Amino acid sequence: MASPFVSADTIRTDFSHAMSAMYKTEVPQYGSLLDIVADVNAAVLADDQTLAQQLAASDQLSRLDLERHGAIRVGTAAELYTMRRLFAVMGMQAVGYYDLTVAGVPVHSTAFRPVSDEALRRNPFRVFTSLLRLELIDDATLRNAAQSALDRRAIYTPTCLALIAKWEQQGGLAVDDAHRFVQEALETFRWHQQATVSSDLYQRLRAAHPLISDIVCFKGPHINHLTPRTLDIDQVQQAMPSYGIKPKAVIEGPPRRHCPILLRQTSFLALNEAVAFPADDGQLTAGTHTARFGEIEQRGVALTAAGRALYDLILDRVRQQVQPAGDGANKEHYLTTLAHHFEDFPDSYAALRQQALAYFRYQACADAGPLPVAATPDQVDALIASGHLQYEPIIYEDFLPVSAAGIFQSNLGNENKAAYAAHSNRMAFEAALGATVCDELALYAAAQEDSLTTALAQLQQQQQT
C-alpha cells in the first residue's frame, strides 16, 4: 500500500528549488554564478570523458545541476532546536561539529544534510548552520542588549511550527501540507530589509564583530549564500570577472590537484545592501548592511581520520609560514607555499586507497572472468589488480572549519578579526540542538564498508555459479 505522505527527499528537493528561486530574486548575481558553473561544468565534461564516465557510473551527474549548499546563522539555543526539527521534515540530520572560534568567528556550527547514499543521490542539499556564542561578547551590557533583541523575535511562522508538529505526530505530511510547509519554511530564510534594532545598537554590535550584528539585528536568519558545485573551481575563479563579478582573492582549501580532496571554495564579495533602522520617534533611518554573498565549491574525495590528520598537519605548516591576506596582497606567496607543502599529500587514487587516506566505494565487475583468489576482504588488492573489483572516490559531503571561517571573514570586512580564547564546546552545542551530531567519518566508513561487503558477496556468488 502506497504511503499517504510525501517523501522527505521530495520535500527537500521542492524546498531547495524554492530557496534557489528566492535567492536568485534577492541576489541577482547568484543567477550569474549558476550560469558560470553550468558553462564550466559542460566544458569540463566535454574535455574529460574519463571524469564524465566516472560521474555517470557513480550517479553523480544526475545530482550535479541541482546540488546546493546554503548557510544560515541563528542566535539562540531555541532557534537551533527548532531548526533541527524543521530540517528533519526534509530528511536532513546534523552532521559534524565545527568550532569557528579558532579562526576568530564567534560561532559554532553543524551541517544539516541527508546521510544515506540513496538520499544523497536524490538531492544532497545541505545547510551549514551556525549558532552565535553570546558568551564571547566581553561587554556585559552589549551582551544583554543582544540577548534581549534575540528574545523578542520569532523566526518561524505559526503555520510552519504547526506543520512541523504535525509531521512529528503522524510521521509525514500529505501533499497539500508538504506544499504549505515548503512555503512557510521559506519565510524563515527570507531577507528582511528592516532591522529590528536601532542604528546605534547595530553599530555597537558590528564593532564587537560583524557577524554578531548580522545574526542579532534582523527578523530572521536570512540565507547568506547558496552554493552550486563546480567541477573546476579554478576556471570559475578566472571566469567571474568577465561576468562582472569580483571573486575573493584566494580559493579556500587545498591547492589544485589531479585527484581533488575534501572541499575548495570561492565567493564574490558581500553585497552592501540598504537597510532601515527603527528610531525612538517611530521613524526609520537609512543605513547599510553587508552580509550576503555568492559562493561556489568544488568537492573531492572524503578523507579518513589519517588523511584528515595529514591534511591538517600540512595546512598548519602552511599557515605558520603565511596567512592569506584578505585583499590578496600575498596571494602568490600563499599559493606557492600551499602547493609546495601539499606535495607531501599523495595525488593518485591508488595511493590514497593503499595508504588508507581516503574513502572509496567498491563495485564488482561481472565480466572479468574467473576469480584468481577468494573474494574475501584480505584479497581486495589482488581482486583490484585482476579487474574483478573497481573503486571510485566517495565525495566529501561536509565542510572545513578553516575554509568556512575564511569565507566568512573575507565577506565581513577586515575591521575586526577578533582572536577569541577558543573554547570548543560541543556539549553545549548538542544540548542546544537537542541531539547528538552525526560523526561524518563514521558515515563515510560505513558507506565504504557496505559497498565492499556487497561487492565481495556478488563475486562470491559468481564464483559459486
Side-chain angles (χ1 to χ4, degrees):
M1 183 177 178
S3 171
F5 302 130
V6 178
S7 74
D9 293 336
T10 297
I11 297 175
R12 182 172 67 257
T13 296
D14 290 347
F15 180 81
S16 65
H17 285 322
M19 181 177 280
S20 186
M22 180 184 76
Y23 199 63
K24 189 183 294 186
T25 300
E26 293 181 349
V27 182
Q29 281 187 316
Y30 166 67
S32 298
L33 289 188
L34 296 184
D35 292 340
I36 298 172
V37 169
D39 291 344
V40 168
N41 286 353
V44 169
L45 292 171
D47 292 341
D48 190 340
Q49 289 300 307
T50 300
L51 176 62
Q53 291 169 6
Q54 178 192 91
L55 293 174
S58 60
D59 206 15
Q60 294 286 318
L61 280 180
S62 60
R63 62 178 255 185
L64 190 60
D65 290 340
L66 57 82
E67 185 160 352
R68 301 284 185 274
H69 98 245
I72 59 169
R73 306 150 185 166
V74 296
T76 68
E79 290 177 353
L80 180 66
Y81 182 87
T82 302
M83 194 64 70
R84 173 185 58 79
R85 298 170 59 219
L86 182 150
F87 284 128
V89 177
M90 306 183 212
M92 300 161 70
Q93 299 180 40
V95 179
Y97 171 77
Y98 305 89
D99 174 22
L100 271 62
T101 63
V102 297
V105 182
V107 301
H108 46 184
S109 314
T110 192
F112 289 101
R113 68 167 177 88
V115 296
S116 73
D117 285 351
E118 183 59 31
L120 286 165
R121 279 193 291 268
R122 289 178 177 172
N123 191 323
F125 182 58
R126 320 166 186 86
V127 180
F128 190 80
T129 302
S130 300
L131 173 64
L132 176 62
R133 301 186 64 179
L134 276 177
E135 76 273 13
L136 297 178
I137 301 177
D138 291 330
D139 184 331
T141 301
L142 187 61
R143 186 169 62 247
N144 291 336
Q147 185 67 65
S148 295
L150 291 169
D151 289 343
R152 289 194 300 269
R153 74 181 188 179
I155 69 173
Y156 305 99
T157 71
T159 301
C160 182
L161 293 174
L163 288 168
I164 292 172
K166 188 173 184 179
W167 178 87
E168 292 171 338
Q169 291 162 6
Q170 63 185 24
L173 295 176
V175 173
D176 289 346
D177 281 342
H179 176 74
R180 282 199 303 150
F181 169 80
V182 168
Q183 299 307 312
E184 294 292 331
L186 202 63
E187 293 304 310
T188 295
F189 304 90
R190 191 179 299 281
W191 167 248
H192 297 279
Q193 193 173 30
Q194 185 172 330
T196 58
V197 305
S198 68
S199 177
D200 175 68
L201 179 55
Y202 171 86
Q203 294 298 339
R204 289 163 56 205
L205 290 169
R206 183 170 180 82
H209 195 288
L211 199 85
I212 299 174
S213 59
D214 182 64
I215 296 172
V216 171
C217 299
F218 296 90
K219 184 177 179 181
H222 39 262
I223 190 79
N224 59 69
H225 62 270
L226 204 55
T227 305
R229 176 184 166 193
T230 183
L231 297 174
D232 191 329
I233 201 166
D234 298 280
Q235 284 193 39
V236 168
Q237 181 89 343
Q238 294 167 8
M240 286 167 73
S242 66
Y243 285 75
I245 299 173
K246 182 181 180 181
K248 71 184 297 292
V250 174
I251 295 170
E252 297 288 343
R256 185 179 183 90
R257 294 165 44 88
H258 176 67
C259 298
I261 58 173
L262 296 176
L263 178 68
R264 302 179 72 204
Q265 297 171 293
T266 191
S267 69
F268 65 70
L269 301 183
L271 307 174
N272 194 29
E273 302 181 90
V275 297
F277 295 97
D280 292 339
D281 60 4
Q283 301 298 307
L284 297 175
T285 59
T288 59
H289 177 64
T290 304
R292 300 191 302 158
F293 55 94
E295 182 180 276
I296 293 172
E297 64 189 16
Q298 180 177 356
R299 292 185 172 270
V301 64
L303 300 185
T304 63
R308 283 300 300 266
L310 178 58
Y311 174 86
D312 291 341
L313 176 65
I314 292 173
L315 191 63
D316 186 55
R317 289 174 181 166
V318 173
R319 299 268 168 161
Q320 286 179 12
Q321 284 190 238
V322 56
Q323 294 277 348
D327 62 0
N330 62 352
K331 174 182 175 180
E332 294 306 321
H333 177 41
Y334 173 74
L335 293 178
T336 300
T337 304
L338 186 73
H340 169 69
H341 283 284
F342 267 91
E343 289 176 359
D344 293 337
F345 206 109
D347 196 13
S348 74
Y349 289 131
L352 291 172
R353 192 195 69 82
Q354 289 164 356
Q355 297 179 39
L357 296 175
Y359 290 108
F360 295 90
R361 185 172 283 106
Y362 292 88
Q363 293 177 326
C365 301
D367 55 356
L371 269 66
V373 294
T376 55
D378 61 329
Q379 296 293 342
V380 167
D381 289 347
L383 291 167
I384 290 172
S386 67
H388 289 83
L389 265 186
Q390 291 181 338
Y391 60 93
E392 63 192 26
I394 295 179
I395 294 298
Y396 185 63
E397 306 286 354
D398 296 290
F399 298 91
L400 300 173
V402 172
S403 294
I407 293 285
F408 282 5
Q409 291 287 19
S410 70
N411 285 286
L412 293 169
N414 294 317
E415 70 267 37
N416 188 314
K417 289 195 174 183
Y420 295 103
H423 310 63
S424 180
N425 198 339
R426 178 170 177 160
M427 185 178 298
F429 185 86
E430 291 182 332
L433 183 70
T436 300
V437 299
C438 299
D439 181 342
E440 64 271 31
L441 294 186
L443 293 174
Y444 297 124
Q448 175 175 278
E449 185 62 28
D450 289 348
S451 71
L452 181 58
T453 299
T454 299
L456 292 176
Q458 291 172 345
L459 291 177
Q460 290 168 0
Q461 187 174 18
Q462 291 176 27
Q463 199 170 30
Q464 294 168 2
T465 56

